[in-house]
Amino acid sequence: MTEVIKGVYHIPGQDEMIPDSHVYIIGDPSSQDLSLVDVGLTGKGRYKISSINDFGVKLEDIKRVIMTHTHFDHIGCFAEIKEQIPWAELWVHTAEAEELEQGDERTVYGMDMFQSMCQTQYDIEPGAFKFKVDRRLQDRETLQIGGMTWDVLSIPGHSRGSIALYHASNKILIPGDVVYADYAIGRFDLHGADATALKDSLMRLAELEVDILLPGHNRIVKDLPAGYILKTAQQWAPYLT
Ligand SMILES: [Zn+2]
Ligand SMILES: [Zn+2]
């Protein structure tokens, strides 16, 4: 775990055959009101918790888990994490909250083939991803958490309930799997994905001033060139129809 800037910390994903999402911790340490953004792949809960402990963050200061979206590689170890911090709330965009509460796992696994593969590989029972959602996030909400201000942007396309968290004053964007470093974007072939919506979401993100890009996978970028997201959106536009 490393500090990106004060109030934003990064635990890199530990990819296996299936990727493990990065985890970000947001919140001023002195606020004792920290949030995990995503948790990662099934089996990675212990690694994430020990990274937090090793860094000296107190588990009791973690008040919630905010999901950028509910794919398996982001929410897979939620039950493991919840065992360690049972008081933590789960905040999910409203478009994926209903499915999660009903135990409808289509978004979690994305496709049937992947569902059977993961259930076999990790010995997961059907219905394992049924969770109470404590707060349903909406587009354009402003979260005052951990002594910081984060805007919630609904950016569907990779999944229906994908969100970005944006810290305007430090120009930090946490876009989940919608846009990555190196002009890459998230896949748009899974359950709930929508290529046209993804194009619109990228164009929306392109309007933000972003210096620090903290995606769900791969490298993080601390000095993002101006116009980076617009250029990425334009490169991909012909494929997003
Ligand atoms: Zn995803
Ligand atoms: Zn992912």
Side-chain angles (χ1 to χ4, degrees):
M1 175 157 148
T2 55
E3 181 180 84
V4 180
I5 63 160
K6 188 166 179 282
V8 181
Y9 306 87
H10 172 224
I11 306 173
Q14 246 185 5
D15 296 345
E16 293 187 353
M17 191 174 73
I18 298 167
D20 171 32
S21 78
H22 296 321
V23 172
Y24 298 101
I25 300 184
I26 56 174
D28 190 309
S30 67
S31 69
Q32 299 179 306
D33 177 32
L34 306 181
S35 305
L36 299 185
V37 180
D38 294 340
V39 287
L41 181 66
T42 296
K44 295 298 173 186
R46 184 186 300 204
Y47 155 63
K48 299 290 168 50
I49 292 287
S50 68
S51 301
I52 294 166
N53 283 331
D54 291 349
F55 197 78
V57 169
K58 293 200 191 89
L59 292 183
E60 54 262 40
D61 290 350
I62 301 173
K63 303 298 194 239
R64 66 193 70 80
V65 173
I66 303 174
M67 298 301 306
T68 62
H69 63 302
T70 58
H71 280 161
F72 184 73
D73 56 321
H74 294 249
I75 201 168
C77 66
F78 180 70
E80 301 160 40
I81 296 282
K82 187 86 175 171
E83 256 178 49
Q84 302 296 318
I85 49 171
W87 56 84
E89 293 195 347
L90 178 62
W91 293 10
V92 176
H93 184 265
T94 185
E96 286 174 23
E98 189 67 28
E99 281 185 23
L100 211 52
E101 293 211 310
Q102 299 295 324
D104 175 346
E105 300 178 314
R106 285 178 296 173
T107 294
V108 172
Y109 293 111
M111 62 167 87
D112 292 346
M113 190 192 73
F114 192 65
Q115 174 159 8
S116 30
M117 191 185 92
C118 292
Q119 286 176 342
T120 308
Q121 170 92 5
Y122 294 99
D123 198 17
I124 304 169
E125 296 290 324
F129 291 97
K130 183 176 182 181
F131 298 116
K132 175 174 173 279
V133 173
D134 298 286
R135 181 162 168 180
R136 295 176 181 225
L137 297 168
Q138 312 279 349
D139 188 30
R140 295 175 195 280
E141 260 191 85
T142 299
L143 306 176
Q144 302 283 355
I145 48 174
M148 302 175 90
T149 302
W150 293 88
D151 297 322
V152 175
L153 287 88
S154 165
I155 45 168
H158 172 68
S159 73
R160 270 196 311 135
S162 284
I163 58 159
L165 294 175
Y166 180 58
H167 190 268
S169 53
N170 285 323
K171 301 179 184 168
I172 303 168
L173 183 68
I174 303 178
D177 283 354
V178 171
V179 60
Y180 305 113
D182 305 312
Y183 302 100
I185 62 170
R187 58 193 290 177
F188 42 93
D189 59 333
L190 299 173
H191 173 78
D194 179 332
T196 311
L198 181 56
K199 181 161 69 179
D200 294 344
S201 293
L202 288 165
M203 290 311 289
R204 187 172 176 203
L205 294 179
E207 289 170 14
L208 305 172
E209 283 185 45
V210 179
D211 286 344
I212 300 178
L213 181 68
L214 303 177
H217 305 278
N218 306 329
R219 37 189 208 101
I220 68 172
V221 186
K222 290 188 187 177
D223 50 359
L224 198 73
Y228 170 83
I229 297 175
L230 180 62
K231 204 167 158 191
T232 306
Q234 286 168 341
Q235 281 184 12
W236 281 97
Y239 305 95
L240 298 175
T241 52

